[in-house]
Amino acid sequence: MSGVRNGGDLVVETLEALGAKTVFGIPGQHALGLFDAMGRGNLHFVSSRVENNSAFAADGYSRATGEVGVLFLSTGPGALTSLAGLQEAYATGVPMVVVASQIPLDGLGARRKGMLHQLDDQKASAANVTKSQRLIQHASGIPSAIQDAWTEAISSPQGPVWLEIPQNVLLDPIMVPPVEDALAEAADNPPRVELVREAVKWLAAAERPAIIAGGGTRRGRAEASLLSIAEKLRAPVICTPGGNGAFPWNHELSLQSWIEDQHMTELLEDADVLIVIGSSLGEVTSNYFTFEPRGRIIQIDAEPRVLESNRPGLGIRADAGQALAALDAALTEPHGERADWHGTSPETLVKDSLTKVRARLESQDLGKELKFMADIREAVPAQMQTFWDMTISAYWAWSCWDTREGQFHSAQGAGGLGFGFPAAIGGAVGLETTGSPGNAGNAGNPENPGNPARVLAVSGDGSAMYSISELATAKQHNVPVTWLIVDDGGYGILREYMVGAFGKATATELARPDFVKLAEAFGVPAVRVAPEDIGAALKAGFAADGPNVVVVETLLKMFAPTHLEA
């Protein structure tokens, strides 16, 4: 069979022609043609231990690098196991191409032939968590289908696209020549001219404009336009958890990310024109649906189903980058001269509002939590990217984490457990593979020598158990990731919610392993430290080679929810 090419070769050749460098996944019987072909190509394969974690890793790769994440899945159980990870990518708008194997063609059509891994309609299972799903039935269709999927993945709203290829199509010899080139360009998604004109009319008359920057702002690379618009309007800007990092944290117009605080809710309610970019004004952003804006809303989103889904407004369906660039170009007059919040300047309002938030936090018994988060922030190099699981530390980080020159990534899109560590593995692999500029980690910092691709993952003990097997992946590939596990003996945030709601918690306490010994069993260095020593432990981890784990046994509390206040 030497020299004979098959459908698997077409998959690999097309992906390479499109610029793919790394693939995540797990081999499977029906997918062997894919993996055999990788042995003849140049793709770097990262083998996870659970398909859900493979999906998180491909997601993290894309978030860290801005490139398309590629995921190979086996049929049936392997494909289904990936779906929760794909839900996060779909909810957050992360571009991915997912190639799943399928049973041979003669088993398709919901006939119960009893083939291994057989499903009635495998791609239907992915319909809730991917932009589209395709079944490729002949080898000559592979290059075009992958090219189309890549184009769809990078076109706003970005997201994962599902392809499946039967076993025999991957394995059978082909006549199709090697793929020499493939082109995928994002579809244009500009705003309608009359909508930009109307938005400018509203903003020209506004005295109290404000801006909510959601995750779509980052996906659309709209940061520069956002900054320019905010300064032209002198409009306060607040970032959602997904938008964290879209606006400079310490800018005089920055309300940072304290979106769940009532002081911020009241400020935004008072805006006479509110620009909402890449956000549905959903549960967290609306301070749990207590937000009652009195002014008009301009809502910009690439996903038409998001527009006006929670509040009526001027809906502009467009890529955030293109929309804000058009809006910025159209804002030619010095509109900021009108900015006046009932006799207070927007800059003073921002400063006073942040002072009120800080005072509210300091009025609660949160000294340990505030210091813990500050110590982590001080230890993490300015350019390092961080990946946060659904854990109390992450809930704090949604509001208080200054990304500085790095990027903040969390699982708040879908809210599933287990994201942090595998996504960080994917991110670190991506930064090593692409050498992405602007994500130089700790390079050149004499206080933090080490791999510039190193990233930080943060999990609780509950979420850590979802991805503990990926310690083997991190060790096998010597991935430069430092994993902070905050061990509070259970599902801490659920414990807090249940005690608050019912006076006691049920089923939140967990038996867990000795995480230090467990990491060491995988050959990964690990330390257990007291909360007050977290900074020094992280700095040591950042200076090391390969993966390492830092465990802190402590019980953190959340700040009091303001949406429950009378």
Side-chain angles (χ1 to χ4, degrees):
M1 293 290 288
S2 177
V4 176
R5 295 169 56 255
N6 58 27
D9 288 284
L10 287 175
V11 174
V12 171
E13 291 164 4
T14 308
L15 289 171
E16 289 184 4
L18 288 165
K21 303 174 185 67
T22 301
V23 174
F24 298 87
I26 297 176
Q29 177 176 318
H30 297 119
L32 294 181
L34 285 175
F35 290 86
D36 175 55
M38 270 202 296
R40 293 185 288 276
N42 299 303
L43 293 175
H44 172 49
F45 181 65
V46 178
S47 178
S48 304
R49 299 303 184 269
V50 183
E51 286 86 357
N52 193 45
N53 295 331
S54 301
F56 283 142
D59 176 331
Y61 179 97
S62 179
R63 294 196 202 200
T65 64
E67 299 192 357
V68 174
V70 181
L71 176 62
F72 283 179
L73 297 171
S74 60
T75 314
L80 295 180
T81 301
S82 74
L83 297 183
L86 291 175
Q87 185 187 359
E88 175 58 37
Y90 184 52
T92 304
V94 179
M96 289 170 54
V97 170
V98 184
V99 181
S101 61
Q102 182 53 287
I103 59 175
L105 270 172
D106 66 1
L108 298 179
R111 286 169 290 175
R112 296 294 180 97
K113 295 177 73 74
M115 290 182 170
L116 183 72
H117 303 332
Q118 184 172 12
L119 291 166
D120 289 345
D121 184 355
Q122 178 175 276
K123 67 182 186 302
S125 301
N128 263 328
V129 293
T130 54
K131 287 184 69 175
S132 67
Q133 310 81 39
R134 298 171 173 84
L135 170 66
I136 303 174
Q137 300 191 49
H138 51 89
S140 59
I142 288 174
S144 295
I146 292 178
Q147 182 173 276
D148 290 349
W150 193 287
T151 300
E152 186 175 1
I154 63 175
S155 297
S156 61
Q158 298 178 340
V161 178
W162 181 278
L163 299 168
E164 52 187 50
I165 310 175
Q167 179 185 32
N168 59 303
V169 178
L170 289 171
L171 289 175
D172 289 348
I174 57 173
M175 296 181 291
V176 185
V179 178
E180 295 182 12
D181 65 87
L183 178 65
E185 293 183 350
D188 205 31
N189 194 357
R192 297 185 62 84
V193 174
E194 72 274 12
L195 295 178
V196 173
R197 190 182 303 123
E198 184 69 11
V200 170
K201 188 187 303 181
W202 290 14
L203 293 168
E207 293 184 355
R208 301 185 304 282
I211 300 173
I212 296 176
T217 316
R218 293 172 61 193
R219 297 280 90 77
R221 297 175 172 83
E223 293 89 347
S225 296
L226 171 62
L227 177 60
S228 177
I229 290 168
E231 290 180 341
K232 284 180 180 179
L233 298 173
R234 291 173 67 206
V237 179
I238 194 164
C239 293
T240 72
N244 191 325
F247 195 74
W249 189 260
N250 291 314
H251 192 282
E252 62 181 356
L253 292 169
S254 175
L255 296 168
Q256 300 175 357
S257 291
W258 296 100
I259 197 81
E260 294 181 59
D261 190 279
Q262 189 62 29
H263 292 303
M264 297 303 182
T265 304
E266 291 169 358
L267 185 157
L268 296 170
E269 287 175 338
D270 191 37
D272 55 4
V273 177
L274 182 66
I275 308 175
V276 181
I277 310 150
S279 169
S280 66
L281 291 179
E283 187 170 14
V284 175
T285 303
S286 64
N287 203 359
Y288 302 91
F289 299 116
T290 62
F291 178 47
E292 296 286 346
R294 296 185 292 276
R296 295 191 287 185
I297 294 174
I298 299 168
Q299 188 175 19
I300 299 167
D301 208 287
E303 170 54 74
R305 291 175 295 178
V306 165
L307 297 175
E308 299 190 85
S309 60
N310 281 304
R311 290 284 168 184
L314 180 66
I316 303 177
R317 193 226 66 182
D319 172 75
Q322 290 184 266
L324 290 194
L327 192 57
D328 186 31
L331 283 168
T332 55
E333 302 299 323
H335 300 297
E337 293 178 358
R338 297 181 58 87
D340 181 2
W341 292 72
H342 311 293
T344 300
S345 74
E347 295 81 8
T348 299
L349 180 75
V350 166
K351 186 176 180 180
D352 290 348
S353 298
L354 291 172
T355 298
K356 290 177 183 177
V357 171
R358 173 62 57 171
R360 186 198 298 280
L361 294 173
E362 291 178 349
S363 72
Q364 302 170 35
D365 182 22
L366 297 170
K368 179 173 72 171
E369 288 76 8
L370 290 166
K371 184 177 188 305
F372 187 73
M373 297 304 298
D375 286 349
I376 297 174
R377 178 59 277 184
E378 191 278 327
V380 173
Q383 292 176 302
M384 183 175 283
Q385 300 200 29
T386 59
F387 294 80
W388 302 73
D389 224 312
M390 296 296 285
T391 184
I392 289 178
S393 301
Y395 283 40
W396 270 96
W398 287 359
S399 295
C400 76
W401 188 260
D402 174 4
T403 61
R404 298 185 183 173
E405 299 160 48
Q407 290 192 57
F408 173 84
H409 310 288
S410 82
Q412 58 84 219
L417 291 178
F419 167 86
F421 186 48
I425 289 174
V429 168
L431 294 174
E432 280 196 313
T433 303
T434 63
S436 297
N439 296 312
N442 43 25
N445 184 344
E447 295 181 5
N448 287 290
N451 191 325
R454 181 169 291 279
V455 300
L456 172 67
V458 182
S459 301
D461 56 294
S463 56
M465 290 301 293
Y466 276 68
S467 46
I468 201 75
S469 60
E470 301 311 322
L471 283 167
T473 303
K475 176 63 177 177
Q476 178 174 337
H477 298 279
N478 199 39
V479 181
V481 56
T482 296
W483 190 12
L484 170 60
I485 300 174
V486 183
D487 183 357
D488 66 8
Y491 295 124
I493 193 68
L494 299 177
R495 176 196 292 134
E496 188 164 314
Y497 286 165
M498 290 189 76
V499 170
F502 312 118
K504 66 175 183 177
T506 304
T508 59
E509 306 314 299
L510 299 173
R512 69 272 192 208
D514 182 325
F515 286 106
V516 171
K517 289 181 178 178
L518 184 56
E520 290 172 344
F522 283 93
V524 175
V527 295
R528 180 181 292 102
V529 297
E532 56 269 22
D533 297 323
I534 183 62
L538 288 177
K539 288 178 180 179
F542 298 152
D545 179 54
N548 50 69
V549 174
V550 177
V551 180
V552 177
E553 293 181 0
T554 189
L555 177 62
L556 301 177
K557 296 185 299 183
M558 276 303 295
F559 47 82
T562 61
H563 66 281
L564 300 178
E565 294 181 359

